[in-house]
């Protein structure tokens, strides 16, 4: 069933067909565990054209389609969700490769600081 967490990253990028998520109960479990943020990485066209998932995917498709991070911001933050952020501080992730490169560089920085 899965546990609740503040943030959930649901990765469906290696999926070539909808498969077990066609069962709406599985989709509900997948998307209902996030308290503060849900990030779905997937082939948007594939999932948006699935009849069983249409209502949920329409809701998700209405949200921004790219992950936006605030440079220099760390958890926990004092910024509230509706607070304005200077545009030059916002970094938009364009694809999974860029996200992987960012995570790798963050890990390298962390390891460098541990020495």
């Amino acid at each position: 069933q899965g546990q609740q967490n503040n943030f959930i990253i649901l990765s469906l990028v290696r999926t070539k067909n909808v498969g077990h998520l066609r069962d709406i109960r599985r989709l509900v479990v997948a998307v209902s565990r996030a308290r503060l943020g849900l990030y779905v990485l997937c082939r948007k066209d594939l999932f948006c054209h699935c009849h069983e998932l249409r209502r949920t995917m329409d809701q998700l498709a209405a949200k921004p389609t790219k992950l936006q991070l605030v440079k220099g911001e760390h958890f926990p933050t004092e910024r509230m969700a509706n607070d304005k952020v200077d545009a030059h501080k916002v970094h938009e992730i364009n694809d999974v490769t860029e996200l992987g490169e960012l995570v790798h560089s963050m890990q390298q920085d962390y390891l460098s600081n541990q020495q």
Side-chain angles (χ1 to χ4, degrees), residues 19-36:
H20 74 277
L21 278 182
R22 225 178 253 284
D23 181 344
I24 197 67
R25 295 170 297 179
R26 291 182 186 269
L27 181 65
V28 168
V29 169
V31 300
S32 66
R33 297 300 184 239
R35 287 188 213 113
L36 301 176

Side-chain angles (χ1 to χ4, degrees), residues 5-112:
N5 279 298
N6 287 339
F7 298 95
I8 299 290
I9 299 174
L10 178 60
S11 176
L12 305 169
V13 295
R14 295 183 68 178
T15 303
K16 292 182 181 173
N17 55 39
V18 176
H20 74 277
L21 278 182
R22 225 178 253 284
D23 181 344
I24 197 67
R25 295 170 297 179
R26 291 182 186 269
L27 181 65
V28 168
V29 169
V31 300
S32 66
R33 297 300 184 239
R35 287 188 213 113
L36 301 176
L38 171 67
Y39 302 93
V40 180
L41 309 174
C42 69
R43 292 185 170 115
K44 184 178 168 185
D45 292 341
L46 173 67
F47 288 92
C48 284
H49 289 99
C50 177
H51 174 73
E52 293 89 347
L53 308 180
R54 170 71 41 97
R55 292 174 74 195
T56 301
M57 294 309 294
D58 284 349
Q59 288 178 356
L60 292 174
K63 304 289 184 190
T65 59
K66 295 187 179 179
L67 176 62
Q68 293 182 332
L69 304 173
V70 178
K71 295 174 188 172
E73 185 174 76
H74 298 280
F75 180 82
T77 181
E78 294 180 14
R79 181 177 59 87
M80 302 301 288
N82 293 328
D83 290 350
K84 289 198 173 220
V85 176
D86 291 335
H88 71 278
K89 289 186 176 181
V90 175
H91 179 75
E92 192 168 87
I93 303 295
N94 294 302
D95 57 29
V96 175
T97 302
E98 186 177 344
L99 178 60
E101 290 169 356
L102 176 65
V103 170
H104 178 73
S105 70
M106 291 171 67
Q107 179 68 16
Q108 293 301 325
D109 290 345
Y110 175 78
L111 292 173
S112 295

